[in-house]
Amino acid sequence: MPRGSPAARPTRPAVEEPACPSDLGEYPDLESVPYGGSEPLVPEGAVEITACEVPGTGSSPAGLSGPRVLTLGVSDIVRVINSLPSYQTGLGVRSPQPSGDARELRCTAVYRDHELAFVLRYPDRQPVTVYTDVNCRVAVSDGRGRGLDTALLTTFFDRYRTQLVARTPPESVPTPTCAGSIPTSRLRLTPDRSGLDDRISVDNPGQSPQLPTRLVAVTACRYEVGDSAARLTGQRSEWMDAAEALRPTVNAAFDRARTTTCGGYPGYPPPTAFDALLVADATGATAEFWLRRAPCPALISGKRTGVRPSDALVAAIDGLLGPPGR
Protein backbone atom coordinates (compact mmCIF):
# COMPACT_ATOMS: atom_id res chain seq x y z
CA MET A 1 0.00 0.00 0.00
CA PRO A 2 1.53 3.39 -0.96
CA ARG A 3 2.71 5.55 1.95
CA GLY A 4 -0.04 7.91 3.09
CA SER A 5 -2.86 5.82 1.63
CA PRO A 6 -5.80 5.45 4.07
CA ALA A 7 -6.23 1.98 5.53
CA ALA A 8 -9.17 0.08 4.08
CA ARG A 9 -12.09 -0.09 6.51
CA PRO A 10 -13.62 -3.49 7.12
CA THR A 11 -17.05 -3.74 5.54
CA ARG A 12 -19.95 -4.71 7.76
CA PRO A 13 -22.21 -7.37 6.23
CA ALA A 14 -25.60 -6.04 5.14
CA VAL A 15 -28.39 -6.61 7.65
CA GLU A 16 -31.39 -8.36 6.14
CA GLU A 17 -34.89 -6.97 6.52
CA PRO A 18 -37.01 -9.04 8.93
CA ALA A 19 -39.52 -11.32 7.20
CA CYS A 20 -42.38 -13.39 8.61
CA PRO A 21 -42.42 -17.13 7.88
CA SER A 22 -44.93 -17.86 5.12
CA ASP A 23 -46.29 -21.11 6.61
CA LEU A 24 -45.57 -23.69 9.28
CA GLY A 25 -43.45 -25.63 6.81
CA GLU A 26 -40.69 -23.14 7.61
CA TYR A 27 -40.77 -24.09 11.29
CA PRO A 28 -37.88 -26.18 12.67
CA ASP A 29 -38.50 -29.81 13.57
CA LEU A 30 -39.64 -29.52 17.18
CA GLU A 31 -38.75 -33.15 17.91
CA SER A 32 -35.10 -32.69 16.98
CA VAL A 33 -34.51 -29.49 18.96
CA PRO A 34 -32.68 -29.79 22.29
CA TYR A 35 -34.63 -28.27 25.18
CA GLY A 36 -33.20 -26.87 28.38
CA GLY A 37 -30.23 -24.73 29.31
CA SER A 38 -30.02 -21.35 30.98
CA GLU A 39 -28.21 -19.32 28.31
CA PRO A 40 -30.19 -16.51 26.61
CA LEU A 41 -32.42 -17.71 23.80
CA VAL A 42 -32.05 -14.46 21.82
CA PRO A 43 -29.42 -11.67 21.87
CA GLU A 44 -30.02 -8.41 23.69
CA GLY A 45 -30.25 -5.16 21.74
CA ALA A 46 -33.32 -5.77 19.55
CA VAL A 47 -34.96 -2.54 18.40
CA GLU A 48 -38.15 -4.00 16.92
CA ILE A 49 -40.22 -7.17 17.26
CA THR A 50 -42.79 -8.34 14.74
CA ALA A 51 -45.49 -10.84 15.72
CA CYS A 52 -46.44 -12.98 12.72
CA GLU A 53 -49.53 -15.19 12.43
CA VAL A 54 -48.10 -18.10 10.46
CA PRO A 55 -50.72 -20.22 8.62
CA GLY A 56 -50.49 -23.97 8.71
CA THR A 57 -49.13 -25.74 5.66
CA GLY A 58 -51.95 -25.88 3.16
CA SER A 59 -54.08 -23.44 5.16
CA SER A 60 -55.25 -20.15 3.72
CA PRO A 61 -53.85 -16.97 5.26
CA ALA A 62 -57.22 -15.31 4.63
CA GLY A 63 -58.72 -14.12 7.89
CA LEU A 64 -55.38 -13.98 9.70
CA SER A 65 -54.04 -10.67 10.96
CA GLY A 66 -51.09 -9.02 9.32
CA PRO A 67 -47.74 -8.52 11.06
CA ARG A 68 -47.83 -6.46 14.27
CA VAL A 69 -44.64 -4.41 14.56
CA LEU A 70 -43.66 -3.38 18.09
CA THR A 71 -41.09 -0.68 18.78
CA LEU A 72 -42.27 0.28 22.28
CA GLY A 73 -40.94 -1.73 25.23
CA VAL A 74 -38.98 -4.15 23.03
CA SER A 75 -36.45 -4.87 25.79
CA ASP A 76 -39.32 -6.11 27.99
CA ILE A 77 -40.19 -8.76 25.42
CA VAL A 78 -36.55 -9.81 25.05
CA ARG A 79 -36.37 -10.30 28.83
CA VAL A 80 -39.50 -12.46 28.78
CA ILE A 81 -38.11 -14.60 25.94
CA ASN A 82 -34.82 -15.13 27.76
CA SER A 83 -36.71 -15.95 30.97
CA LEU A 84 -38.79 -18.72 29.41
CA PRO A 85 -38.50 -21.89 31.50
CA SER A 86 -35.86 -24.40 30.47
CA TYR A 87 -38.56 -27.06 30.60
CA GLN A 88 -42.29 -26.52 30.75
CA THR A 89 -43.68 -29.15 33.07
CA GLY A 90 -47.23 -30.32 32.56
CA LEU A 91 -49.34 -31.12 29.52
CA GLY A 92 -47.74 -31.37 26.14
CA VAL A 93 -44.10 -30.45 26.88
CA ARG A 94 -40.79 -32.04 27.68
CA SER A 95 -39.69 -32.21 31.29
CA PRO A 96 -36.28 -33.36 32.55
CA GLN A 97 -35.56 -36.96 33.49
CA PRO A 98 -33.35 -37.68 36.53
CA SER A 99 -30.63 -38.53 34.03
CA GLY A 100 -30.85 -35.02 32.57
CA ASP A 101 -32.37 -36.22 29.29
CA ALA A 102 -35.68 -34.84 28.07
CA ARG A 103 -38.77 -36.94 27.69
CA GLU A 104 -40.36 -37.37 24.29
CA LEU A 105 -42.13 -34.24 23.12
CA ARG A 106 -45.87 -34.57 23.62
CA CYS A 107 -48.37 -32.25 21.99
CA THR A 108 -52.12 -31.85 22.17
CA ALA A 109 -54.22 -32.73 19.14
CA VAL A 110 -56.25 -29.50 19.06
CA TYR A 111 -56.47 -28.06 15.54
CA ARG A 112 -54.90 -24.63 15.04
CA ASP A 113 -54.88 -22.93 11.65
CA HIS A 114 -51.87 -20.81 12.64
CA GLU A 115 -49.12 -20.27 15.17
CA LEU A 116 -47.26 -17.12 16.26
CA ALA A 117 -43.65 -16.40 15.37
CA PHE A 118 -41.73 -13.39 16.70
CA VAL A 119 -39.11 -11.82 14.44
CA LEU A 120 -36.55 -9.60 16.21
CA ARG A 121 -34.74 -6.86 14.30
CA TYR A 122 -31.28 -5.64 15.34
CA PRO A 123 -29.32 -2.64 14.06
CA ASP A 124 -26.07 -4.57 13.69
CA ARG A 125 -26.92 -8.27 13.25
CA GLN A 126 -29.25 -10.45 11.25
CA PRO A 127 -32.87 -10.87 12.39
CA VAL A 128 -33.66 -13.63 14.86
CA THR A 129 -36.92 -15.61 14.75
CA VAL A 130 -38.59 -17.21 17.76
CA TYR A 131 -41.05 -19.90 16.68
CA THR A 132 -43.83 -20.74 19.14
CA ASP A 133 -46.16 -23.74 19.19
CA VAL A 134 -49.12 -23.52 21.56
CA ASN A 135 -50.18 -27.16 21.11
CA CYS A 136 -46.73 -28.33 22.19
CA ARG A 137 -46.18 -25.32 24.48
CA VAL A 138 -42.64 -24.67 23.32
CA ALA A 139 -40.61 -21.81 21.85
CA VAL A 140 -37.66 -22.47 19.54
CA SER A 141 -34.92 -20.21 18.17
CA ASP A 142 -31.59 -20.92 16.49
CA GLY A 143 -31.89 -24.66 17.05
CA ARG A 144 -32.61 -24.41 20.78
CA GLY A 145 -35.88 -24.73 22.67
CA ARG A 146 -37.61 -23.63 25.85
CA GLY A 147 -41.01 -24.10 27.40
CA LEU A 148 -43.64 -21.59 26.33
CA ASP A 149 -44.97 -19.25 29.02
CA THR A 150 -48.19 -17.35 28.31
CA ALA A 151 -46.39 -14.26 29.68
CA LEU A 152 -44.72 -13.96 26.26
CA LEU A 153 -48.09 -13.48 24.53
CA THR A 154 -49.70 -11.33 27.20
CA THR A 155 -46.66 -9.04 27.55
CA PHE A 156 -46.27 -8.57 23.81
CA PHE A 157 -49.93 -7.74 23.20
CA ASP A 158 -50.09 -5.50 26.28
CA ARG A 159 -47.17 -3.45 24.91
CA TYR A 160 -48.63 -3.51 21.41
CA ARG A 161 -52.00 -2.17 22.57
CA THR A 162 -50.20 0.55 24.55
CA GLN A 163 -48.32 1.50 21.39
CA LEU A 164 -51.56 1.65 19.39
CA VAL A 165 -53.21 3.89 22.00
CA ALA A 166 -50.23 6.27 21.95
CA ARG A 167 -50.46 6.54 18.16
CA THR A 168 -54.27 6.72 17.80
CA PRO A 169 -55.91 10.11 18.46
CA PRO A 170 -59.30 9.47 20.16
CA GLU A 171 -61.04 11.80 17.72
CA SER A 172 -59.90 9.58 14.84
CA VAL A 173 -61.84 6.56 16.16
CA PRO A 174 -65.23 6.30 14.38
CA THR A 175 -68.36 5.78 16.46
CA PRO A 176 -69.84 2.33 15.70
CA THR A 177 -73.13 2.41 13.83
CA CYS A 178 -76.08 0.03 14.10
CA ALA A 179 -77.03 -2.13 11.15
CA GLY A 180 -80.47 -1.16 9.90
CA SER A 181 -81.47 -4.81 9.73
CA ILE A 182 -80.02 -8.28 10.32
CA PRO A 183 -81.28 -11.43 8.55
CA THR A 184 -83.23 -13.59 10.98
CA SER A 185 -81.42 -16.63 9.57
CA ARG A 186 -78.16 -15.27 10.98
CA LEU A 187 -79.70 -14.96 14.43
CA ARG A 188 -80.40 -18.69 14.39
CA LEU A 189 -76.71 -19.52 14.51
CA THR A 190 -74.71 -19.33 17.69
CA PRO A 191 -71.39 -17.44 17.37
CA ASP A 192 -69.30 -20.60 17.35
CA ARG A 193 -70.98 -21.25 13.99
CA SER A 194 -71.20 -17.76 12.48
CA GLY A 195 -69.19 -15.42 14.68
CA LEU A 196 -69.68 -11.78 15.65
CA ASP A 197 -67.32 -8.97 14.74
CA ASP A 198 -64.59 -8.81 17.40
CA ARG A 199 -61.41 -7.04 16.34
CA ILE A 200 -60.51 -6.26 19.96
CA SER A 201 -59.78 -9.92 20.74
CA VAL A 202 -57.26 -10.05 17.85
CA ASP A 203 -54.78 -8.14 20.03
CA ASN A 204 -56.12 -9.64 23.25
CA PRO A 205 -55.86 -13.42 22.68
CA GLY A 206 -56.43 -14.33 26.33
CA GLN A 207 -59.67 -12.25 26.47
CA SER A 208 -59.16 -11.72 30.18
CA PRO A 209 -60.46 -9.13 30.62
CA GLN A 210 -62.79 -9.13 27.62
CA LEU A 211 -62.13 -5.41 27.00
CA PRO A 212 -58.55 -4.62 28.11
CA THR A 213 -58.32 -1.02 26.81
CA ARG A 214 -60.36 2.05 27.66
CA LEU A 215 -63.40 2.65 25.49
CA VAL A 216 -63.81 5.71 23.29
CA ALA A 217 -67.33 5.12 21.94
CA VAL A 218 -70.25 2.74 22.46
CA THR A 219 -73.51 2.35 20.58
CA ALA A 220 -76.52 0.39 21.82
CA CYS A 221 -78.98 -0.94 19.23
CA ARG A 222 -82.45 -2.41 19.77
CA TYR A 223 -84.11 -4.76 17.28
CA GLU A 224 -87.54 -6.20 16.65
CA VAL A 225 -87.32 -9.65 15.07
CA GLY A 226 -89.58 -10.63 12.18
CA ASP A 227 -89.82 -13.76 10.07
CA SER A 228 -87.08 -12.70 7.65
CA ALA A 229 -85.21 -9.85 9.35
CA ALA A 230 -84.57 -8.09 12.64
CA ARG A 231 -85.19 -4.37 12.16
CA LEU A 232 -83.61 -1.55 14.11
CA THR A 233 -86.12 0.24 16.37
CA GLY A 234 -83.84 2.33 18.59
CA GLN A 235 -80.22 3.34 19.15
CA ARG A 236 -78.03 5.54 21.32
CA SER A 237 -74.30 6.36 21.39
CA GLU A 238 -72.02 7.54 24.19
CA TRP A 239 -68.43 8.82 24.03
CA MET A 240 -65.27 9.06 26.10
CA ASP A 241 -65.95 8.98 29.88
CA ALA A 242 -69.55 7.80 29.45
CA ALA A 243 -68.38 5.01 27.13
CA GLU A 244 -65.51 4.01 29.41
CA ALA A 245 -67.90 3.81 32.38
CA LEU A 246 -69.56 0.82 30.67
CA ARG A 247 -66.35 -1.22 30.29
CA PRO A 248 -66.16 -2.65 33.85
CA THR A 249 -69.76 -3.81 33.56
CA VAL A 250 -69.06 -5.67 30.30
CA ASN A 251 -65.90 -7.23 31.71
CA ALA A 252 -67.67 -8.33 34.88
CA ALA A 253 -70.41 -9.97 32.80
CA PHE A 254 -67.82 -12.32 31.25
CA ASP A 255 -65.75 -12.84 34.40
CA ARG A 256 -66.52 -16.31 35.74
CA ALA A 257 -69.68 -16.28 33.63
CA ARG A 258 -71.85 -19.38 33.35
CA THR A 259 -72.58 -20.65 29.87
CA THR A 260 -76.08 -21.10 28.56
CA THR A 261 -77.65 -23.22 25.82
CA CYS A 262 -80.14 -20.43 25.00
CA GLY A 263 -80.45 -20.25 21.22
CA GLY A 264 -78.18 -23.24 20.70
CA TYR A 265 -78.39 -26.80 19.35
CA PRO A 266 -80.60 -28.52 18.32
CA GLY A 267 -83.08 -25.86 17.26
CA TYR A 268 -80.98 -22.69 16.94
CA PRO A 269 -84.14 -20.66 17.57
CA PRO A 270 -83.81 -16.95 16.81
CA PRO A 271 -84.56 -14.47 19.58
CA THR A 272 -87.89 -12.68 19.39
CA ALA A 273 -86.21 -9.56 20.77
CA PHE A 274 -82.58 -8.64 21.20
CA ASP A 275 -80.17 -5.73 21.62
CA ALA A 276 -76.67 -5.23 20.24
CA LEU A 277 -73.85 -3.36 21.93
CA LEU A 278 -71.07 -2.04 19.67
CA VAL A 279 -67.86 -0.72 21.24
CA ALA A 280 -64.70 0.99 19.98
CA ASP A 281 -61.62 1.23 22.17
CA ALA A 282 -58.66 3.60 22.24
CA THR A 283 -56.64 1.40 19.88
CA GLY A 284 -59.30 1.92 17.20
CA ALA A 285 -60.48 -1.71 17.39
CA THR A 286 -64.17 -2.63 17.65
CA ALA A 287 -66.27 -5.47 19.05
CA GLU A 288 -69.91 -6.48 18.89
CA PHE A 289 -72.04 -8.09 21.61
CA TRP A 290 -75.55 -9.51 21.31
CA LEU A 291 -77.95 -9.57 24.23
CA ARG A 292 -80.78 -12.00 23.51
CA ARG A 293 -83.78 -10.79 25.50
CA ALA A 294 -86.57 -13.25 24.64
CA PRO A 295 -87.63 -16.02 24.69
CA CYS A 296 -84.51 -16.74 26.76
CA PRO A 297 -81.56 -14.56 27.87
CA ALA A 298 -78.00 -14.92 26.56
CA LEU A 299 -75.00 -12.65 26.09
CA ILE A 300 -72.94 -13.48 23.01
CA SER A 301 -69.55 -12.25 21.79
CA GLY A 302 -67.04 -13.20 19.10
CA LYS A 303 -67.06 -16.96 18.61
CA ARG A 304 -67.60 -17.80 22.27
CA THR A 305 -70.54 -19.80 23.58
CA GLY A 306 -73.24 -17.57 25.01
CA VAL A 307 -73.22 -16.79 28.72
CA ARG A 308 -75.97 -15.78 31.11
CA PRO A 309 -76.14 -11.98 31.07
CA SER A 310 -75.55 -10.14 34.33
CA ASP A 311 -78.28 -7.99 35.83
CA ALA A 312 -75.85 -5.06 35.84
CA LEU A 313 -75.23 -5.26 32.09
CA VAL A 314 -78.93 -5.65 31.30
CA ALA A 315 -79.64 -2.58 33.46
CA ALA A 316 -76.86 -0.60 31.75
CA ILE A 317 -78.23 -1.31 28.27
CA ASP A 318 -81.77 -0.50 29.40
CA GLY A 319 -80.35 2.74 30.79
CA LEU A 320 -79.24 3.62 27.27
CA LEU A 321 -82.27 2.38 25.34
CA GLY A 322 -85.05 2.34 27.90
CA PRO A 323 -86.96 -0.72 29.07
CA PRO A 324 -87.82 -3.28 26.37
CA GLY A 325 -91.13 -2.70 24.65
CA ARG A 326 -91.17 0.99 25.36
Side-chain angles (χ1 to χ4, degrees):
M1 178 182 298
R3 184 175 298 177
S5 298
R9 295 182 179 179
T11 58
R12 180 178 296 176
V15 176
E16 299 174 1
E17 285 296 315
C20 288
S22 60
D23 61 53
L24 297 185
E26 297 183 29
Y27 265 44
D29 179 9
L30 302 181
E31 290 284 355
S32 65
V33 172
Y35 292 82
S38 58
E39 67 279 3
L41 195 62
V42 299
E44 298 284 344
V47 295
E48 180 182 280
I49 299 181
T50 301
C52 311
E53 290 190 359
V54 185
T57 303
S59 299
S60 170
L64 299 184
S65 297
R68 283 91 136 196
V69 180
L70 180 69
T71 59
L72 178 70
V74 171
S75 59
D76 296 339
I77 313 303
V78 172
R79 280 194 293 271
V80 172
I81 292 173
N82 287 333
S83 298
L84 290 174
S86 296
Y87 299 95
Q88 177 90 22
T89 58
L91 177 65
V93 215
R94 299 174 187 242
S95 57
Q97 294 275 33
S99 64
D101 296 330
R103 295 174 183 165
E104 181 182 357
L105 184 66
R106 294 170 297 165
C107 306
T108 62
V110 177
Y111 172 75
R112 286 177 59 83
D113 60 1
H114 74 279
E115 295 289 353
L116 276 178
F118 296 89
V119 182
L120 286 66
R121 183 172 70 84
Y122 295 84
D124 54 358
R125 66 169 66 229
Q126 302 302 340
V128 173
T129 301
V130 178
Y131 304 88
T132 71
D133 189 298
V134 172
N135 283 346
C136 297
R137 296 179 63 194
V138 293
V140 172
S141 181
D142 194 25
R144 295 176 294 126
R146 297 281 187 85
L148 180 61
D149 192 321
T150 56
L152 174 55
L153 307 183
T154 57
T155 304
F156 178 88
F157 284 106
D158 178 69
R159 301 298 184 274
Y160 186 68
R161 291 193 306 270
T162 299
Q163 176 178 280
L164 287 176
V165 171
R167 298 175 181 178
T168 306
E171 61 273 14
S172 71
V173 178
T175 299
T177 57
C178 303
S181 66
I182 301 173
T184 301
S185 58
R186 183 170 182 240
L187 305 184
R188 293 181 182 278
L189 301 180
T190 53
D192 58 307
R193 293 281 301 277
S194 60
L196 299 185
D197 176 62
D198 184 4
R199 302 306 301 172
I200 289 177
S201 67
V202 171
D203 294 325
N204 179 36
Q207 298 186 53
S208 181
Q210 184 82 19
L211 301 174
T213 307
R214 73 175 187 271
L215 296 182
V216 172
V218 301
T219 298
C221 320
R222 177 153 290 165
Y223 291 88
E224 183 178 83
V225 183
D227 290 339
S228 60
R231 303 196 180 280
L232 182 69
T233 61
Q235 60 184 309
R236 179 177 170 182
S237 296
E238 297 286 355
W239 299 270
M240 303 304 290
D241 290 347
E244 169 61 9
L246 189 61
R247 184 164 67 101
T249 304
V250 176
N251 284 338
F254 286 97
D255 184 27
R256 300 179 183 175
R258 292 178 295 175
T259 61
T260 175
T261 58
C262 168
Y265 181 82
Y268 300 115
T272 54
F274 86 102
D275 300 330
L277 183 67
L278 315 178
V279 305
D281 71 14
T283 71
T286 59
E288 179 181 11
F289 303 91
W290 282 358
L291 175 61
R292 298 173 63 108
R293 307 296 298 249
C296 58
L299 176 62
I300 300 169
S301 71
K303 293 189 176 182
R304 294 172 57 167
T305 302
V307 301
R308 297 181 185 180
S310 67
D311 292 342
L313 182 60
V314 171
I317 293 178
D318 286 347
L320 293 172
L321 296 171
R326 192 182 72 173

